[in-house]
Structures are given as structure tokens and as C-alpha cells.
Amino acid sequence: MFFGKKKNVAPVEPQLVAPMTGEYINIAQVPDPVFSKKVLGDGVAVMPTEGLVMAPISGKIISVADTKHAFALQADGLDILIHIGLNTVELAGEGFEPMVKAGDVVSVGDPICRVDLNLIRSQGYALYTPIVITNIDAVKELTTHPGTGTAGQTVVLEYVK
């Protein structure tokens, strides 16, 4: 007998795929000390070239910022923050169209937000988008993969718990 084993449950891959298409960089390169100094946790960042944000891992949406610029997910025991742009909270939601709400369950590559990159740029905001594991103490090892990433496809971060 197989007590305690779950059937038909695919294991979560210990990785995050690109939530946005663009150029991925080390989080230390983000020109905001909250992210570059890893105050909120560790991860990777993207300079997006397309405005569709996708789920980087299968999990549950924990929160959507009232200002629509940030999303928190829980997956595989990790808390993950996607923060679209720097200081974009000041836009009060303008230019962001969430496609999920708190409590929604998402799979890798599911759309979670549309972003008007041109509007954000025209308002003078930087588009750096950090993807941060906020409970980084749950991770023993983190490997990021800088370079061009395609939303929903390219692995940009791997972790060992």
C-alpha cells in the first residue's frame, strides 16, 4: 500500500520561468537599494520589452497590490514578488490591467497582468521589474540566468531548498 503518497500530482520544478519577455539581469544591478541590496529577498530582474506578465511558477496568487503594479504568489513553499517597474506605485494603477485576483490558482505561463510599457516610460518611470523570493531563508541555493528571456518559456532562476 502507498499510504501518504499523492497520485497524479506533478512535482513543482525548482525553477522560475520568465514572467515577462526582455533582458534579465542580476538583481544587484537594479537602481533601487530596496532590491539591489536584497532588503526584500533575492531573485532576478527584467527590463521588459513586452507588456504581458505571466506566472513564473505554478501556485496561488496571494495578493495584487491596490495600485496593480505588484503581485505576490506562493508556490513550492516560496513567497514570490513580481514588482513591475520602480516607483510605479505612484501611478495609482494607471497602465496596469490585472488578469488575476488574490486566491486564484495559476499555472506556469498563465497571464496575470497586461502592462502599458509606453505609458509607464512616458511618465518617467524605470521599467526594471524585480522577481524576488521574499522568504529567501527557505532556499539553500539560488542560480540566476541573465540574458534574453521569453515570457512563460525561458528559465531565469533555479533554486535548491
Side-chain angles (χ1 to χ4, degrees):
M1 300 224 169
F2 300 144
F3 294 106
K5 293 197 177 191
K6 295 180 182 178
K7 291 183 179 182
N8 301 323
V9 176
V12 174
E13 291 290 328
Q15 63 190 25
L16 300 182
V17 298
M20 298 181 83
T21 296
E23 191 66 24
Y24 281 79
I25 61 171
N26 186 303
I27 200 160
Q29 294 176 272
V30 175
D32 180 327
V34 170
F35 297 108
S36 63
K37 302 287 185 199
K38 303 178 184 179
V39 173
L40 296 178
D42 201 353
V44 67
V46 61
M47 281 299 291
T49 55
E50 294 180 14
L52 182 62
V53 183
M54 296 181 166
I57 191 169
S58 296
K60 184 176 183 178
I61 302 293
I62 298 305
S63 69
V64 177
D66 291 342
T67 51
K68 306 172 188 173
H69 74 289
F71 296 80
L73 296 90
Q74 274 187 340
D76 195 26
L78 302 180
D79 298 326
I80 300 159
L81 170 69
I82 301 172
H83 190 284
I84 305 162
L86 300 181
N87 300 315
T88 49
V89 66
E90 297 170 3
L91 290 170
E94 186 180 3
F96 301 94
E97 181 188 335
M99 302 164 80
V100 295
K101 63 186 179 315
D104 287 354
V105 174
V106 294
S107 295
V108 172
D110 285 352
I112 60 175
C113 187
R114 288 190 203 287
V115 182
D116 186 338
L117 300 180
N118 291 328
L119 176 101
I120 293 169
R121 249 189 241 106
S122 74
Q123 298 297 312
Y125 294 94
L127 291 171
Y128 292 92
T129 298
I131 301 94
V132 180
I133 298 174
T134 59
N135 63 333
I136 196 64
D137 55 329
V139 175
K140 291 180 186 169
E141 186 178 322
L142 186 73
T143 306
T144 59
H145 301 287
T148 303
T150 302
Q153 296 179 24
T154 309
V155 174
V156 295
L157 185 152
E158 295 176 276
Y159 60 89
V160 176
K161 289 177 37 177

